[in-house]
Amino acid sequence: MSIPCRILVVDDEVGIREGCRRVLVPQGFDVDVAENGPMGLRQLREARYDVLLLDIMMPGMSGIEVLRQARQMDPDLICIIITGYATVELAVQAIREGAHDFIAKPFSADQLLQVVHRELERRALRREAERLRALEEEARELARAKAELQKLEAVEGRFMLTLVHILRAPVAVLQNTLQWIRKGYIPPEEQPEVLARAEARAGELLATLDDLLLLAHLKEGIGLSRVEVISLEEILEGVLAALRPRAERQGVALEVDVQDSPRVRANPDHIRALLIHLIDNAIRYTPSGGRVTVSLAVDRERGLAVGAVSDTGIGIPADEIPRIFEEFYRTEEGKRLQETGTGLGLPIVRQVVEMYGGTIEVESEVGRGSTFRFTLPLG
Ligand code: ADP
């Protein structure tokens, strides 16, 4: 045996205690003895043992009680019961209580060594099996993490590609415009119109970059330090003032219905972004002659501010509804009606409501219109 094993013999018979010591010490075991249960338990508390040789039938504290306490102290301890012919039943009970084996008195030196070696080997095998199980679990965990990483890398790769594609187009337009003007391809009288178009593309580019920045900040939880109690109605007024000209240009009526003026605890920039994207979408995806209705109310029972943006626009196919909250996703019908768009608005909306513990739901019918309903906890 390479590592010295420590054995404690607890038996009231001195002959057994000393007999065990005589057999085990020459085999390289460290052996201690105790003559009753309480003394044995004290020794178990003071030092770590590998094997407990325990007489089941002792005056005073019963062997079964010693066994119970010893197993509780060290579940890894090998417990071998020493039993007389008349106490075999007790030994069986001891096995049920967690003893590993028993040896009947009188026993030979060989029998004692056999049972001790066998139990030590079993314990070594148990430990090896546990180590292998842990290794297997670790390997499974690593494989899971690797698969997750590969998935993330693929998503990140797609994200970058889409991003480059989206950002490259307006920059190319700007470069062409500047080149054409510098090379004199555009007559002076046409230049204001061409420059106005280029300016619009630069504006879109900037808006896309701002959306990307906001989305990145929301994902990182940046901006939460500027949280305050705000009136949704006040923010809505500012948003409507900015979007009304667009609705008028497009021939879309804009109606508002605010009840109880809900207040929420949030960063005003986040709530502005939420409302702008929902209302801007409703206007952009509603053909001329349509109507957009924005409503705000309070659900006191649930402690929520509830908002809805409804339109009579193109609608969203049912199978695409879960996808419109993905970054860059745009429906075919949406792309046909609005050439420009980044697919970042609704991901921002979702991040905002999730960040503040709210919800967002969509109801839509193709060709009839859509309603986006959101909730935010009242401030
Ligand atoms: P963007 O409007 O820039 O394309 P969004 O993330 O705001 O990006 O919207 C994603 C897509 O969801 C849009 O391209 C459009 O296809 C669809 N969508 C969003 N809002 C509406 C709406 N009110 N009516 C119809 N389709 C909508």
PDB file of all heavy atoms in Angstrom, residues 135-160:
ATOM      1  N   LEU A 135     -15.254  14.036 -14.896  1.00  0.00           N
ATOM      2  CA  LEU A 135     -14.548  14.396 -16.135  1.00  0.00           C
ATOM      3  C   LEU A 135     -15.505  14.396 -17.325  1.00  0.00           C
ATOM      4  O   LEU A 135     -15.478  15.287 -18.171  1.00  0.00           O
ATOM      5  CB  LEU A 135     -13.421  13.403 -16.403  1.00  0.00           C
ATOM      6  CG  LEU A 135     -12.095  13.701 -15.701  1.00  0.00           C
ATOM      7  CD1 LEU A 135     -11.092  12.596 -15.984  1.00  0.00           C
ATOM      8  CD2 LEU A 135     -11.531  15.039 -16.187  1.00  0.00           C
ATOM      9  N   GLU A 136     -16.361  13.324 -17.356  1.00  0.00           N
ATOM     10  CA  GLU A 136     -17.330  13.236 -18.460  1.00  0.00           C
ATOM     11  C   GLU A 136     -18.261  14.442 -18.458  1.00  0.00           C
ATOM     12  O   GLU A 136     -18.547  15.024 -19.498  1.00  0.00           O
ATOM     13  CB  GLU A 136     -18.173  11.962 -18.319  1.00  0.00           C
ATOM     14  CG  GLU A 136     -17.561  10.775 -19.018  1.00  0.00           C
ATOM     15  CD  GLU A 136     -18.310   9.500 -18.706  1.00  0.00           C
ATOM     16  OE1 GLU A 136     -19.491   9.576 -18.320  1.00  0.00           O
ATOM     17  OE2 GLU A 136     -17.690   8.438 -18.843  1.00  0.00           O
ATOM     18  N   GLU A 137     -18.722  14.812 -17.249  1.00  0.00           N
ATOM     19  CA  GLU A 137     -19.642  15.957 -17.134  1.00  0.00           C
ATOM     20  C   GLU A 137     -18.943  17.230 -17.610  1.00  0.00           C
ATOM     21  O   GLU A 137     -19.513  18.046 -18.341  1.00  0.00           O
ATOM     22  CB  GLU A 137     -20.102  16.091 -15.679  1.00  0.00           C
ATOM     23  CG  GLU A 137     -21.106  17.193 -15.405  1.00  0.00           C
ATOM     24  CD  GLU A 137     -22.308  17.174 -16.343  1.00  0.00           C
ATOM     25  OE1 GLU A 137     -22.817  16.080 -16.675  1.00  0.00           O
ATOM     26  OE2 GLU A 137     -22.714  18.267 -16.770  1.00  0.00           O
ATOM     27  N   GLU A 138     -17.647  17.362 -17.228  1.00  0.00           N
ATOM     28  CA  GLU A 138     -16.861  18.526 -17.631  1.00  0.00           C
ATOM     29  C   GLU A 138     -16.726  18.559 -19.159  1.00  0.00           C
ATOM     30  O   GLU A 138     -16.858  19.614 -19.783  1.00  0.00           O
ATOM     31  CB  GLU A 138     -15.470  18.411 -17.012  1.00  0.00           C
ATOM     32  CG  GLU A 138     -14.914  19.710 -16.482  1.00  0.00           C
ATOM     33  CD  GLU A 138     -13.638  19.452 -15.704  1.00  0.00           C
ATOM     34  OE1 GLU A 138     -13.736  19.051 -14.524  1.00  0.00           O
ATOM     35  OE2 GLU A 138     -12.570  19.620 -16.283  1.00  0.00           O
ATOM     36  N   ALA A 139     -16.482  17.359 -19.737  1.00  0.00           N
ATOM     37  CA  ALA A 139     -16.326  17.285 -21.195  1.00  0.00           C
ATOM     38  C   ALA A 139     -17.633  17.677 -21.890  1.00  0.00           C
ATOM     39  O   ALA A 139     -17.635  18.401 -22.890  1.00  0.00           O
ATOM     40  CB  ALA A 139     -15.914  15.874 -21.612  1.00  0.00           C
ATOM     41  N   ARG A 140     -18.770  17.195 -21.309  1.00  0.00           N
ATOM     42  CA  ARG A 140     -20.079  17.551 -21.892  1.00  0.00           C
ATOM     43  C   ARG A 140     -20.298  19.053 -21.814  1.00  0.00           C
ATOM     44  O   ARG A 140     -20.756  19.686 -22.756  1.00  0.00           O
ATOM     45  CB  ARG A 140     -21.202  16.819 -21.154  1.00  0.00           C
ATOM     46  CG  ARG A 140     -21.593  15.501 -21.816  1.00  0.00           C
ATOM     47  CD  ARG A 140     -22.961  15.041 -21.308  1.00  0.00           C
ATOM     48  NE  ARG A 140     -22.936  14.775 -19.887  1.00  0.00           N
ATOM     49  CZ  ARG A 140     -22.552  13.623 -19.351  1.00  0.00           C
ATOM     50  NH1 ARG A 140     -22.177  12.626 -20.121  1.00  0.00           N
ATOM     51  NH2 ARG A 140     -22.547  13.440 -18.052  1.00  0.00           N
ATOM     52  N   GLU A 141     -19.924  19.632 -20.643  1.00  0.00           N
ATOM     53  CA  GLU A 141     -20.091  21.071 -20.421  1.00  0.00           C
ATOM     54  C   GLU A 141     -19.264  21.865 -21.442  1.00  0.00           C
ATOM     55  O   GLU A 141     -19.730  22.840 -22.029  1.00  0.00           O
ATOM     56  CB  GLU A 141     -19.625  21.382 -18.987  1.00  0.00           C
ATOM     57  CG  GLU A 141     -20.131  22.678 -18.393  1.00  0.00           C
ATOM     58  CD  GLU A 141     -21.621  22.846 -18.505  1.00  0.00           C
ATOM     59  OE1 GLU A 141     -22.373  21.935 -18.094  1.00  0.00           O
ATOM     60  OE2 GLU A 141     -22.020  23.881 -19.050  1.00  0.00           O
ATOM     61  N   LEU A 142     -18.012  21.380 -21.659  1.00  0.00           N
ATOM     62  CA  LEU A 142     -17.121  22.052 -22.609  1.00  0.00           C
ATOM     63  C   LEU A 142     -17.696  21.988 -24.023  1.00  0.00           C
ATOM     64  O   LEU A 142     -17.668  22.969 -24.761  1.00  0.00           O
ATOM     65  CB  LEU A 142     -15.743  21.381 -22.602  1.00  0.00           C
ATOM     66  CG  LEU A 142     -14.787  21.893 -21.531  1.00  0.00           C
ATOM     67  CD1 LEU A 142     -13.503  21.084 -21.545  1.00  0.00           C
ATOM     68  CD2 LEU A 142     -14.452  23.367 -21.793  1.00  0.00           C
ATOM     69  N   ALA A 143     -18.239  20.796 -24.369  1.00  0.00           N
ATOM     70  CA  ALA A 143     -18.807  20.634 -25.718  1.00  0.00           C
ATOM     71  C   ALA A 143     -19.988  21.583 -25.897  1.00  0.00           C
ATOM     72  O   ALA A 143     -20.160  22.206 -26.946  1.00  0.00           O
ATOM     73  CB  ALA A 143     -19.246  19.185 -25.923  1.00  0.00           C
ATOM     74  N   ARG A 144     -20.807  21.700 -24.820  1.00  0.00           N
ATOM     75  CA  ARG A 144     -21.961  22.609 -24.883  1.00  0.00           C
ATOM     76  C   ARG A 144     -21.482  24.045 -25.083  1.00  0.00           C
ATOM     77  O   ARG A 144     -21.998  24.776 -25.923  1.00  0.00           O
ATOM     78  CB  ARG A 144     -22.772  22.528 -23.584  1.00  0.00           C
ATOM     79  CG  ARG A 144     -23.971  21.608 -23.659  1.00  0.00           C
ATOM     80  CD  ARG A 144     -24.963  21.922 -22.526  1.00  0.00           C
ATOM     81  NE  ARG A 144     -24.409  21.674 -21.213  1.00  0.00           N
ATOM     82  CZ  ARG A 144     -24.439  20.496 -20.592  1.00  0.00           C
ATOM     83  NH1 ARG A 144     -25.010  19.462 -21.163  1.00  0.00           N
ATOM     84  NH2 ARG A 144     -23.920  20.358 -19.393  1.00  0.00           N
ATOM     85  N   ALA A 145     -20.456  24.440 -24.289  1.00  0.00           N
ATOM     86  CA  ALA A 145     -19.942  25.816 -24.377  1.00  0.00           C
ATOM     87  C   ALA A 145     -19.372  26.079 -25.770  1.00  0.00           C
ATOM     88  O   ALA A 145     -19.558  27.162 -26.332  1.00  0.00           O
ATOM     89  CB  ALA A 145     -18.879  26.035 -23.311  1.00  0.00           C
ATOM     90  N   LYS A 146     -18.688  25.048 -26.330  1.00  0.00           N
ATOM     91  CA  LYS A 146     -18.081  25.231 -27.645  1.00  0.00           C
ATOM     92  C   LYS A 146     -19.175  25.444 -28.712  1.00  0.00           C
ATOM     93  O   LYS A 146     -19.070  26.339 -29.549  1.00  0.00           O
ATOM     94  CB  LYS A 146     -17.243  23.989 -27.980  1.00  0.00           C
ATOM     95  CG  LYS A 146     -16.405  24.168 -29.216  1.00  0.00           C
ATOM     96  CD  LYS A 146     -15.498  22.985 -29.438  1.00  0.00           C
ATOM     97  CE  LYS A 146     -14.941  23.081 -30.838  1.00  0.00           C
ATOM     98  NZ  LYS A 146     -14.577  21.802 -31.393  1.00  0.00           N
ATOM     99  N   ALA A 147     -20.236  24.621 -28.615  1.00  0.00           N
ATOM    100  CA  ALA A 147     -21.326  24.745 -29.593  1.00  0.00           C
ATOM    101  C   ALA A 147     -21.966  26.135 -29.485  1.00  0.00           C
ATOM    102  O   ALA A 147     -22.280  26.782 -30.491  1.00  0.00           O
ATOM    103  CB  ALA A 147     -22.366  23.651 -29.351  1.00  0.00           C
ATOM    104  N   GLU A 148     -22.125  26.589 -28.232  1.00  0.00           N
ATOM    105  CA  GLU A 148     -22.736  27.900 -27.985  1.00  0.00           C
ATOM    106  C   GLU A 148     -21.878  29.008 -28.607  1.00  0.00           C
ATOM    107  O   GLU A 148     -22.378  29.925 -29.253  1.00  0.00           O
ATOM    108  CB  GLU A 148     -22.820  28.095 -26.457  1.00  0.00           C
ATOM    109  CG  GLU A 148     -23.870  29.059 -25.975  1.00  0.00           C
ATOM    110  CD  GLU A 148     -25.278  28.691 -26.424  1.00  0.00           C
ATOM    111  OE1 GLU A 148     -25.615  27.498 -26.493  1.00  0.00           O
ATOM    112  OE2 GLU A 148     -26.005  29.630 -26.738  1.00  0.00           O
ATOM    113  N   LEU A 149     -20.555  28.874 -28.409  1.00  0.00           N
ATOM    114  CA  LEU A 149     -19.609  29.852 -28.931  1.00  0.00           C
ATOM    115  C   LEU A 149     -19.657  29.888 -30.458  1.00  0.00           C
ATOM    116  O   LEU A 149     -19.666  30.961 -31.071  1.00  0.00           O
ATOM    117  CB  LEU A 149     -18.196  29.475 -28.466  1.00  0.00           C
ATOM    118  CG  LEU A 149     -17.175  30.594 -28.488  1.00  0.00           C
ATOM    119  CD1 LEU A 149     -17.525  31.630 -27.435  1.00  0.00           C
ATOM    120  CD2 LEU A 149     -15.778  30.046 -28.221  1.00  0.00           C
ATOM    121  N   GLN A 150     -19.721  28.671 -31.057  1.00  0.00           N
ATOM    122  CA  GLN A 150     -19.767  28.622 -32.521  1.00  0.00           C
ATOM    123  C   GLN A 150     -21.030  29.304 -33.036  1.00  0.00           C
ATOM    124  O   GLN A 150     -21.007  30.019 -34.031  1.00  0.00           O
ATOM    125  CB  GLN A 150     -19.705  27.174 -32.998  1.00  0.00           C
ATOM    126  CG  GLN A 150     -18.273  26.654 -33.029  1.00  0.00           C
ATOM    127  CD  GLN A 150     -18.200  25.164 -33.256  1.00  0.00           C
ATOM    128  OE1 GLN A 150     -19.196  24.461 -33.098  1.00  0.00           O
ATOM    129  NE2 GLN A 150     -17.030  24.696 -33.618  1.00  0.00           N
ATOM    130  N   LYS A 151     -22.146  29.054 -32.296  1.00  0.00           N
ATOM    131  CA  LYS A 151     -23.412  29.675 -32.705  1.00  0.00           C
ATOM    132  C   LYS A 151     -23.289  31.193 -32.628  1.00  0.00           C
ATOM    133  O   LYS A 151     -23.685  31.922 -33.525  1.00  0.00           O
ATOM    134  CB  LYS A 151     -24.534  29.187 -31.779  1.00  0.00           C
ATOM    135  CG  LYS A 151     -25.698  28.654 -32.559  1.00  0.00           C
ATOM    136  CD  LYS A 151     -26.717  27.876 -31.799  1.00  0.00           C
ATOM    137  CE  LYS A 151     -27.084  28.294 -30.428  1.00  0.00           C
ATOM    138  NZ  LYS A 151     -27.815  27.281 -29.677  1.00  0.00           N
ATOM    139  N   LEU A 152     -22.695  31.651 -31.504  1.00  0.00           N
ATOM    140  CA  LEU A 152     -22.525  33.093 -31.304  1.00  0.00           C
ATOM    141  C   LEU A 152     -21.646  33.700 -32.394  1.00  0.00           C
ATOM    142  O   LEU A 152     -21.935  34.777 -32.912  1.00  0.00           O
ATOM    143  CB  LEU A 152     -21.849  33.334 -29.955  1.00  0.00           C
ATOM    144  CG  LEU A 152     -22.760  33.741 -28.825  1.00  0.00           C
ATOM    145  CD1 LEU A 152     -21.974  33.837 -27.529  1.00  0.00           C
ATOM    146  CD2 LEU A 152     -23.399  35.093 -29.109  1.00  0.00           C
ATOM    147  N   GLU A 153     -20.562  32.972 -32.714  1.00  0.00           N
ATOM    148  CA  GLU A 153     -19.647  33.479 -33.739  1.00  0.00           C
ATOM    149  C   GLU A 153     -20.372  33.598 -35.074  1.00  0.00           C
ATOM    150  O   GLU A 153     -20.185  34.559 -35.818  1.00  0.00           O
ATOM    151  CB  GLU A 153     -18.433  32.571 -33.868  1.00  0.00           C
ATOM    152  CG  GLU A 153     -17.369  32.912 -32.836  1.00  0.00           C
ATOM    153  CD  GLU A 153     -16.267  31.862 -32.760  1.00  0.00           C
ATOM    154  OE1 GLU A 153     -16.326  30.875 -33.519  1.00  0.00           O
ATOM    155  OE2 GLU A 153     -15.382  32.035 -31.936  1.00  0.00           O
ATOM    156  N   ALA A 154     -21.224  32.594 -35.375  1.00  0.00           N
ATOM    157  CA  ALA A 154     -21.966  32.626 -36.636  1.00  0.00           C
ATOM    158  C   ALA A 154     -22.915  33.824 -36.645  1.00  0.00           C
ATOM    159  O   ALA A 154     -23.006  34.557 -37.635  1.00  0.00           O
ATOM    160  CB  ALA A 154     -22.745  31.326 -36.812  1.00  0.00           C
ATOM    161  N   VAL A 155     -23.615  34.043 -35.509  1.00  0.00           N
ATOM    162  CA  VAL A 155     -24.553  35.175 -35.416  1.00  0.00           C
ATOM    163  C   VAL A 155     -23.794  36.491 -35.554  1.00  0.00           C
ATOM    164  O   VAL A 155     -24.190  37.386 -36.296  1.00  0.00           O
ATOM    165  CB  VAL A 155     -25.321  35.128 -34.067  1.00  0.00           C
ATOM    166  CG1 VAL A 155     -26.082  36.418 -33.830  1.00  0.00           C
ATOM    167  CG2 VAL A 155     -26.270  33.956 -34.047  1.00  0.00           C
ATOM    168  N   GLU A 156     -22.637  36.566 -34.845  1.00  0.00           N
ATOM    169  CA  GLU A 156     -21.842  37.784 -34.912  1.00  0.00           C
ATOM    170  C   GLU A 156     -21.352  38.039 -36.335  1.00  0.00           C
ATOM    171  O   GLU A 156     -21.345  39.162 -36.820  1.00  0.00           O
ATOM    172  CB  GLU A 156     -20.638  37.678 -33.983  1.00  0.00           C
ATOM    173  CG  GLU A 156     -20.832  38.479 -32.722  1.00  0.00           C
ATOM    174  CD  GLU A 156     -19.710  38.254 -31.737  1.00  0.00           C
ATOM    175  OE1 GLU A 156     -18.561  38.084 -32.157  1.00  0.00           O
ATOM    176  OE2 GLU A 156     -20.022  38.241 -30.538  1.00  0.00           O
ATOM    177  N   GLY A 157     -20.950  36.948 -37.001  1.00  0.00           N
ATOM    178  CA  GLY A 157     -20.481  37.060 -38.378  1.00  0.00           C
ATOM    179  C   GLY A 157     -21.572  37.612 -39.271  1.00  0.00           C
ATOM    180  O   GLY A 157     -21.349  38.543 -40.060  1.00  0.00           O
ATOM    181  N   ARG A 158     -22.810  37.060 -39.117  1.00  0.00           N
ATOM    182  CA  ARG A 158     -23.947  37.537 -39.918  1.00  0.00           C
ATOM    183  C   ARG A 158     -24.235  38.988 -39.601  1.00  0.00           C
ATOM    184  O   ARG A 158     -24.504  39.797 -40.476  1.00  0.00           O
ATOM    185  CB  ARG A 158     -25.182  36.682 -39.616  1.00  0.00           C
ATOM    186  CG  ARG A 158     -25.325  35.481 -40.507  1.00  0.00           C
ATOM    187  CD  ARG A 158     -26.771  35.026 -40.586  1.00  0.00           C
ATOM    188  NE  ARG A 158     -27.408  34.871 -39.300  1.00  0.00           N
ATOM    189  CZ  ARG A 158     -27.319  33.772 -38.548  1.00  0.00           C
ATOM    190  NH1 ARG A 158     -26.618  32.762 -38.965  1.00  0.00           N
ATOM    191  NH2 ARG A 158     -27.924  33.692 -37.387  1.00  0.00           N
ATOM    192  N   PHE A 159     -24.185  39.334 -38.298  1.00  0.00           N
ATOM    193  CA  PHE A 159     -24.453  40.705 -37.850  1.00  0.00           C
ATOM    194  C   PHE A 159     -23.486  41.663 -38.533  1.00  0.00           C
ATOM    195  O   PHE A 159     -23.884  42.681 -39.095  1.00  0.00           O
ATOM    196  CB  PHE A 159     -24.279  40.759 -36.324  1.00  0.00           C
ATOM    197  CG  PHE A 159     -24.620  42.095 -35.712  1.00  0.00           C
ATOM    198  CD1 PHE A 159     -25.905  42.364 -35.266  1.00  0.00           C
ATOM    199  CD2 PHE A 159     -23.664  43.091 -35.576  1.00  0.00           C
ATOM    200  CE1 PHE A 159     -26.229  43.584 -34.700  1.00  0.00           C
ATOM    201  CE2 PHE A 159     -23.967  44.312 -35.020  1.00  0.00           C
ATOM    202  CZ  PHE A 159     -25.257  44.561 -34.573  1.00  0.00           C
ATOM    203  N   MET A 160     -22.185  41.315 -38.522  1.00  0.00           N
ATOM    204  CA  MET A 160     -21.170  42.183 -39.119  1.00  0.00           C
ATOM    205  C   MET A 160     -21.410  42.347 -40.612  1.00  0.00           C
ATOM    206  O   MET A 160     -21.332  43.453 -41.151  1.00  0.00           O
ATOM    207  CB  MET A 160     -19.762  41.598 -38.896  1.00  0.00           C
ATOM    208  CG  MET A 160     -19.204  41.843 -37.527  1.00  0.00           C
ATOM    209  SD  MET A 160     -19.218  43.571 -37.071  1.00  0.00           S
ATOM    210  CE  MET A 160     -17.895  44.176 -38.082  1.00  0.00           C
TER     211      MET A 160
END
